[in-house]
Amino acid sequence: MELDAAKVIGAGLAVIGVIGSGVGIGSIFAAFITAVGRNPSARGEVFTMTMLGFALVEAIALYALVIALVILFG
């Protein structure tokens, strides 16, 4: 196997982490919509925690992307 082919395969495997990030973001916002639907007056507190969770889950996707780019161009 050539080095370029191994890099492409490794980068593709590194990007698999983005799938989990997408599932996590969907789960976070589904829980937010359910919580606000049950108790609309608590929207402010729930929204703050939702955005914190979103940022943390999105960071995982960015890390996966950086690792894939390092594998490809490093």
Side-chain angles (χ1 to χ4, degrees), residues 6 9 19-20 28 30 44 46 49 54-55 64 67 69:
I9 291 171
I19 295 171
I28 287 171
V46 174
M49 295 307 289
F54 171 74
I67 294 299
L69 290 174

Side-chain angles (χ1 to χ4, degrees), residues 65-74:
L65 178 65
V66 168
I67 294 299
L69 290 174
V70 166
I71 290 172
L72 277 179
F73 301 111

